[in-house]
Amino acid sequence: MACDFKMIHRVDFAHTDMAGIAHFSNYFRYMENTEHAFFRSLGFSIHTRIDGRTYGWPRVHASCDFLQPIRFEEEIEVHLIVRQKRAKSLTYDFVFRRASDPAGTEVARGSLTVVCTEWDAQSGRMRAVDIPEIIARHIEEYPGQVPPASGADQNTQ
Amino acid sequence: MACDFKMIHRVDFAHTDMAGIAHFSNYFRYMENTEHAFFRSLGFSIHTRIDGRTYGWPRVHASCDFLQPIRFEEEIEVHLIVRQKRAKSLTYDFVFRRASDPAGTEVARGSLTVVCTEWDAQSGRMRAVDIPEIIARHIEEYPGQVPPASGADQNTQ
Amino acid sequence: MACDFKMIHRVDFAHTDMAGIAHFSNYFRYMENTEHAFFRSLGFSIHTRIDGRTYGWPRVHASCDFLQPIRFEEEIEVHLIVRQKRAKSLTYDFVFRRASDPAGTEVARGSLTVVCTEWDAQSGRMRAVDIPEIIARHIEEYPGQVPPASGADQNTQ
Amino acid sequence: MACDFKMIHRVDFAHTDMAGIAHFSNYFRYMENTEHAFFRSLGFSIHTRIDGRTYGWPRVHASCDFLQPIRFEEEIEVHLIVRQKRAKSLTYDFVFRRASDPAGTEVARGSLTVVCTEWDAQSGRMRAVDIPEIIARHIEEYPGQVPPASGADQNTQ
């Protein structure tokens, strides 16, 4: 049973904009890529076939607070936390920190809610379904609070 | 004084993903592009020089609820509404509808909060400043409620 | 019978990079979007169903020479020319100019070769096929030379 | 002195399109990201300050041949080869192979030509300059031919 996952992303040149910082739309890709790596860590793909049925996970909600700009070539640790697990959906929180920052200062915090759907290749339509048991049994909600904005307290005695 | 703006975006092929729908990260680009067209409609650029100072508008919050998938080549009307105007920041709401849909069904609703900053080319740093009066006097908050999710009620009686 | 097509693209903020210019990868999207608008101008979609078969046009070659940087909010005219029409493929040349430039100075020149394929939704596989006659009869090769790098000569006499 | 470099890229979900394969524009980002990792491996950043001058490397040519489609979550090895080193520019070739493919079948082959420029933050302008000696002395041309399309010959005898 897993309830969180960490992944480091490097800010690509193509992710920067003329203000010299990572364009905000890329944070949503970092979050999604972290989720997909979380699924791989459990032995699954986010886009998978089980018993002849194709499952996908469209996003129904996404949000992000941008606290500090991040820049080209910086390594950003994105910490995924399973905030809520329901029959047909998952909500993740994401905490962004610079990998090189010993204080663990949060540079962004985001959230995604995704719905398990079965996809019909013929019609191209998706409908919400229960998360397959084979996947659901590997995921649980993160206990307690989201880690604090600074990692400082982790270092106290 | 302007409080809202509409812009139509076509879903590009490169915006679609293997699920056959527009990838959710692009909605944030549609929102931002609508904001930038709103600024142009007022005679400004979002990235501008006034009296020798360079202004930019980094995003501090972004969110979106995805209600219906949108697909390749669909034309999507994005309606920007100035939700809140403060000394140093603006919050917009965005309502997404298919341009071809006479019922005006909402397919997504999002929000951006942006902060006016002065940008120092030398250091590459930004600091929050009051919105220049020459810009601020053209923008006002949208009166009353955000338009309803369906345009149906606009056609009653 | 059509052999060329023009489309104006505005450089989005998200297309810029920290060097303050449009990131080169976006030129390929401008080219593709121009091709798709060319197809729409003929009454087709690039991704279409004809007689129960699904057609797509994967790219087998893409190239671009970048002659002058282009910047945020500039309007760029992309001129598509059908360079070669074969049974199963099309090669386009693309000339980029600033829409505001009366001299018509070329800022980039690119090329795409695309192959007509039938797509099997079941297997997800594509195989090259002859361009359907209903499409092929609307497209012809551009006669003569590609327009010169500068529009200056168009204004002589 | 380095003349080549290898980097593995995973195909992100956001890189796929409705045809179920990686969108061709992303290959150019894989190439560029490989180049930037090559520079980091030499102890440099592609966007760097040396002796108070800011250097950048705008692309003047990019091309790619797409031989086989690549798909979500596949790991793609991109092999950068320094094809040509001139006073002010570098040309790289790139060979793409699936990391999991023992035969080393090429799935794409591309090329970038980049020019060393000094960037003037004040004006936002760039001008071509000689590659700084501190960088140039670490880079040399790849001797002999580009590796063949299939790795088969590497396994003979």
Side-chain angles (χ1 to χ4, degrees):
Chain A
M1 297 281 275
C3 61
D4 74 336
F5 184 79
K6 290 182 180 180
M7 186 180 186
I8 290 180
H9 304 263
R10 191 183 289 278
V11 178
D12 290 345
F13 192 82
H15 294 168
T16 64
D17 59 34
M18 64 186 291
I21 61 178
H23 190 262
F24 80 109
S25 61
N26 294 299
Y27 289 65
F28 294 97
R29 299 188 169 196
Y30 300 154
M31 289 194 248
E32 180 171 83
N33 288 346
T34 305
E35 176 206 23
H36 294 181
F38 171 58
F39 263 61
R40 284 194 297 275
S41 77
L42 303 177
F44 299 103
S45 170
I46 197 77
H47 198 84
T48 196
R49 252 180 115 69
I50 299 173
D51 296 339
R53 300 163 74 181
T54 302
Y55 293 93
W57 294 81
R59 279 82 255 272
V60 295
H61 177 75
S63 67
C64 194
D65 289 295
F66 309 96
L67 309 174
Q68 289 186 12
I70 57 176
R71 294 171 197 277
F72 176 50
E73 288 192 334
E74 286 189 330
E75 289 185 308
I76 306 298
E77 180 195 271
V78 179
H79 189 176
L80 171 156
I81 289 147
V82 179
R83 164 63 39 228
Q84 191 168 53
K85 178 189 172 185
R86 293 191 167 164
K88 296 181 163 60
S89 71
L90 294 170
T91 295
Y92 310 104
D93 286 341
F94 298 87
V95 178
F96 292 63
R97 297 185 170 94
R98 285 189 181 80
S100 64
D101 179 10
T105 307
E106 222 174 296
V107 296
R109 180 173 295 218
S111 180
L112 289 181
T113 298
V114 302
V115 172
C116 186
T117 62
E118 188 181 345
W119 187 64
D120 179 12
Q122 215 63 29
S123 69
R125 299 288 151 185
M126 297 172 285
R127 64 184 185 89
V129 294
D130 282 355
I131 303 174
E133 173 52 23
I134 195 175
I135 294 176
R137 69 171 174 241
H138 291 283
I139 300 174
E140 63 182 342
E141 293 181 0
Y142 190 84
Q145 296 304 304
V146 183
S150 160
D153 63 332
Q154 295 168 14
N155 305 318
T156 47
Q157 275 80 54
Chain B
M1 298 281 276
C3 62
D4 75 336
F5 184 78
K6 290 182 180 180
M7 186 181 186
I8 289 180
H9 304 262
R10 191 182 290 278
V11 178
D12 289 345
F13 192 81
H15 294 169
T16 64
D17 61 33
M18 65 189 287
I21 61 179
H23 190 262
F24 80 108
S25 61
N26 294 299
Y27 289 66
F28 294 98
R29 299 189 169 195
Y30 300 153
M31 287 192 249
E32 180 171 83
N33 288 346
T34 305
E35 176 207 21
H36 294 180
F38 171 59
F39 263 60
R40 284 194 297 274
S41 76
L42 303 177
F44 299 103
S45 170
I46 198 78
H47 198 84
T48 195
R49 251 179 116 69
I50 300 174
D51 295 339
R53 302 163 74 180
T54 302
Y55 294 93
W57 295 81
R59 280 82 255 274
V60 294
H61 177 74
S63 66
C64 196
D65 290 295
F66 309 96
L67 309 174
Q68 290 186 12
I70 58 176
R71 293 168 198 280
F72 175 51
E73 290 192 330
E74 285 189 330
E75 289 185 309
I76 306 298
E77 180 195 270
V78 179
H79 189 176
L80 172 156
I81 289 147
V82 179
R83 161 65 39 229
Q84 191 167 53
K85 177 188 172 185
R86 292 190 169 165
K88 295 181 165 59
S89 71
L90 294 170
T91 295
Y92 310 104
D93 286 341
F94 298 87
V95 179
F96 292 62
R97 298 186 168 95
R98 284 188 181 84
S100 64
D101 178 10
T105 308
E106 224 174 297
V107 296
R109 178 173 298 216
S111 180
L112 291 179
T113 299
V114 302
V115 172
C116 186
T117 63
E118 189 181 345
W119 187 65
D120 178 13
Q122 216 62 29
S123 68
R125 299 289 152 185
M126 296 172 286
R127 66 182 182 89
V129 295
D130 282 356
I131 303 173
E133 173 54 22
I134 196 175
I135 295 176
R137 69 173 174 238
H138 290 284
I139 299 174
E140 63 182 342
E141 293 181 359
Y142 190 85
Q145 297 304 304
V146 183
S150 159
D153 63 333
Q154 297 168 11
N155 305 315
T156 48
Q157 279 102 43
Chain C
M1 298 283 275
C3 62
D4 74 337
F5 185 78
K6 290 182 180 179
M7 187 181 184
I8 289 180
H9 303 262
R10 190 183 290 278
V11 177
D12 290 345
F13 191 82
H15 294 168
T16 64
D17 60 33
M18 66 188 287
I21 62 178
H23 189 263
F24 79 109
S25 61
N26 294 299
Y27 289 65
F28 295 98
R29 299 189 169 195
Y30 300 154
M31 287 192 248
E32 180 171 83
N33 288 345
T34 305
E35 176 207 21
H36 294 181
F38 171 58
F39 263 60
R40 284 195 296 274
S41 77
L42 304 177
F44 298 103
S45 170
I46 198 78
H47 197 85
T48 196
R49 252 180 115 69
I50 300 172
D51 295 339
R53 301 164 74 181
T54 302
Y55 293 93
W57 295 80
R59 279 84 254 273
V60 295
H61 176 75
S63 66
C64 195
D65 290 295
F66 309 97
L67 309 174
Q68 290 186 12
I70 58 176
R71 293 169 199 278
F72 176 50
E73 289 193 331
E74 286 189 330
E75 289 185 308
I76 306 299
E77 181 194 88
V78 179
H79 189 176
L80 172 156
I81 291 147
V82 180
R83 163 63 40 229
Q84 191 167 52
K85 177 187 171 185
R86 291 189 169 165
K88 295 181 164 58
S89 70
L90 294 169
T91 295
Y92 310 104
D93 286 341
F94 298 87
V95 179
F96 293 62
R97 297 185 169 95
R98 285 189 180 82
S100 64
D101 178 10
T105 307
E106 223 174 298
V107 295
R109 179 174 296 217
S111 180
L112 290 179
T113 299
V114 302
V115 172
C116 186
T117 62
E118 189 182 344
W119 187 66
D120 178 12
Q122 216 62 30
S123 68
R125 299 289 152 184
M126 295 171 287
R127 65 184 183 88
V129 294
D130 282 355
I131 302 173
E133 172 54 22
I134 195 174
I135 295 176
R137 70 172 174 237
H138 291 283
I139 299 173
E140 63 182 342
E141 292 180 0
Y142 189 86
Q145 296 304 303
V146 183
S150 159
D153 63 333
Q154 296 169 12
N155 305 315
T156 48
Q157 278 106 40
Chain D
M1 297 282 276
C3 61
D4 73 336
F5 185 78
K6 290 182 181 181
M7 186 181 186
I8 290 180
H9 304 264
R10 190 183 289 280
V11 178
D12 291 344
F13 192 82
H15 294 168
T16 64
D17 60 33
M18 64 186 291
I21 62 179
H23 190 260
F24 80 109
S25 61
N26 294 298
Y27 289 65
F28 295 97
R29 299 188 168 196
Y30 300 154
M31 289 193 248
E32 179 171 83
N33 289 345
T34 305
E35 176 206 23
H36 295 181
F38 171 59
F39 263 60
R40 284 194 298 274
S41 77
L42 303 176
F44 299 103
S45 170
I46 198 77
H47 197 84
T48 197
R49 252 180 115 67
I50 300 173
D51 295 339
R53 300 164 74 182
T54 303
Y55 293 93
W57 295 80
R59 279 81 255 273
V60 295
H61 177 75
S63 66
C64 195
D65 290 294
F66 309 96
L67 309 174
Q68 289 186 13
I70 58 176
R71 293 170 199 277
F72 176 50
E73 288 192 334
E74 285 189 330
E75 290 186 307
I76 305 299
E77 181 194 271
V78 179
H79 189 176
L80 172 156
I81 289 148
V82 179
R83 164 64 38 231
Q84 191 168 54
K85 178 188 172 185
R86 294 190 166 164
K88 296 180 165 60
S89 70
L90 294 170
T91 295
Y92 310 104
D93 286 341
F94 298 87
V95 178
F96 292 63
R97 297 184 169 96
R98 285 190 180 79
S100 64
D101 179 10
T105 307
E106 222 175 297
V107 296
R109 179 173 295 220
S111 180
L112 290 180
T113 299
V114 302
V115 173
C116 186
T117 63
E118 188 181 346
W119 187 66
D120 178 12
Q122 216 62 30
S123 69
R125 299 289 150 185
M126 297 171 285
R127 65 184 185 88
V129 295
D130 281 357
I131 303 174
E133 173 52 22
I134 196 176
I135 294 176
R137 68 170 174 242
H138 291 283
I139 298 174
E140 64 182 342
E141 292 182 0
Y142 189 85
Q145 297 304 304
V146 183
S150 159
D153 64 330
Q154 296 169 14
N155 305 316
T156 48
Q157 277 98 46

